[in-house]
Amino acid sequence: MDPRTLLELMLADLDTAPQEYRPTNFWRTGLEKVVADLRDRGFAEFRRHPSATYFYAPRYAPVSRPAAALSRAFGLVGGPGTLLRERIDQVPVARSHHALVTALDPADRSPSLSGFSESTAGGPTEQLVFDGRRFSRSSLNYLRGLVMLKRAVPDLDVSTVLEIGGGFGTLGEILVPRNEGVRYVDVDIPPVAAVATHYLREVLGADRVLDYAATREAEKIELGAIEEPATVLCSWQLPRLQGTVDLFVNFISFQEMEPEVVQNYANLVTDLGARWLLLRNSPTGKPDVREPMLRHRYLEMFDRFELVDSDAGLYGQDSEGTVSEVMVLARR
């Protein structure tokens, strides 16, 4: 099914989805802007859409108009001007993130991260090249989190990965091509679920991604019966997922939900038997939510897990001026 048709199908079904699986306050305004961009501009260059760079395709480059104007101006001159432009665009931050992944990844442990280079699908403008390979803020955030996970759990053995709120599909792009036998399941709300389906098909191949249309009518979605290495589900399908997952990942999106919504997801993830959790959260929470999702709420909601490691510096630094905390939890 083409991405535009898939998007409209998801949006139509969203209208009748249970309340706990619909966009919360933070995403209600974002949803309208993302949908409008996709309808007007299509999917081919979605990473250039203003709504994408603001809501689900993070970038190192400045988001404020004055900073962007300064960056363009200093980009026209050489020497010190170029250095200042890179500073404004946070290139040194990105370079340090790449250096961390290169230096600290235990390459002999699973899952393999080596050789990753981000696809140019979606028309990205925010990629940077280090050692001849392409990276973005999205991919370097995930790579740093995975490096921390591998170091915290030396005997990590992962075959099925479940993510809620996977953005445009970066984690699947990192894991699937270089780890034979790994299955990646991304659960998200539309329109982002439609974007992730499109991107993963571009990156992995159309026949390697199970889409919403194929599972929409299924009363049960058996993990063991899925042949494709990547699957994208809409949020209200998560209770139908049957089987066991090894690793659950959530990067920031729980911050954008109300506590009772996160509690429901936490219960479902726990019931799916997840052995490890990899979480990224803001120490101060996100605006436009009734009650911020802070560290203690995660630990309360995932009470059948124990904290193995956490970091808000080496692995958690996000960009200049912002800090995230990365946590690794293991089932008790």
Side-chain angles (χ1 to χ4, degrees), residues 99-147:
L100 181 151
V101 172
T102 303
L104 297 185
D105 176 33
D108 57 337
R109 299 179 191 170
S110 175
S112 174
L113 309 176
S114 61
F116 173 78
S117 182
E118 193 175 80
S119 167
T120 57
T125 60
E126 79 281 17
Q127 286 178 331
L128 297 167
V129 177
F130 301 118
D131 295 338
R133 292 178 285 124
R134 296 178 300 273
F135 300 89
S136 68
R137 181 172 164 187
S138 178
S139 59
L140 285 171
N141 276 348
Y142 277 109
L143 287 165
R144 287 184 301 135
L146 290 167
V147 168

Side-chain angles (χ1 to χ4, degrees), residues 60-62 67-68 71-72 84-92 94 128:
Y60 285 105
S71 175
R72 288 193 297 271
L84 185 53
R85 185 205 68 217
E86 287 198 353
R87 181 70 177 181
I88 295 170
D89 288 348
Q90 300 181 2
V91 175
L128 297 167

